[in-house]
């Protein structure tokens, strides 16, 4: 499996337009980053715009949890 993911797993594009996760690279100042984990009872077919995919995930979610992190860059 790719990166420890199951062979039948897929990823949607991130806000930068690429698949996968990229670390934050904020301009100077303090920035908040929110990461949400969803527990799903069935697969989500990741097609279409990001907003539509997130809406499908939220509709199918059995539970979710959000972690907010703060990054300060000088």
């Amino acid at each position: 499996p790719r990166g420890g993911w199951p062979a039948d797993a897929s990823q949607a594009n991130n806000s930068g337009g690429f698949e996968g996760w990229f670390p934050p690279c904020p301009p100077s100042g303090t920035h908040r980053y929110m990461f949400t984990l969803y527990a799903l009872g069935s697969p989500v077919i990741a097609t279409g715009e990001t907003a539509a995919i997130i809406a499908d995930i939220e509709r199918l979610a059995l539970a979710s949890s959000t972690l907010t992190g703060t990054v300060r860059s000088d």
Side-chain angles (χ1 to χ4, degrees):
R2 162 187 87 220
W5 296 100
D8 60 346
S10 63
Q11 296 183 60
N13 286 347
N14 59 33
S15 60
F18 301 98
E19 184 180 285
W21 183 81
F22 290 88
C25 186
S28 293
T30 301
H31 303 272
R32 290 184 323 146
Y33 293 89
M34 296 173 63
F35 300 87
T36 303
L37 175 68
Y38 296 95
L40 301 172
S42 61
V44 174
I45 306 302
T47 61
E49 297 295 320
T50 302
I53 295 168
I54 291 171
D56 283 347
I57 290 170
E58 289 175 342
R59 180 178 53 81
L60 295 169
L62 302 174
S64 66
S65 181
T66 301
L67 168 71
T68 301
T70 303
V71 175
R72 178 157 183 216
S73 174
D74 294 323

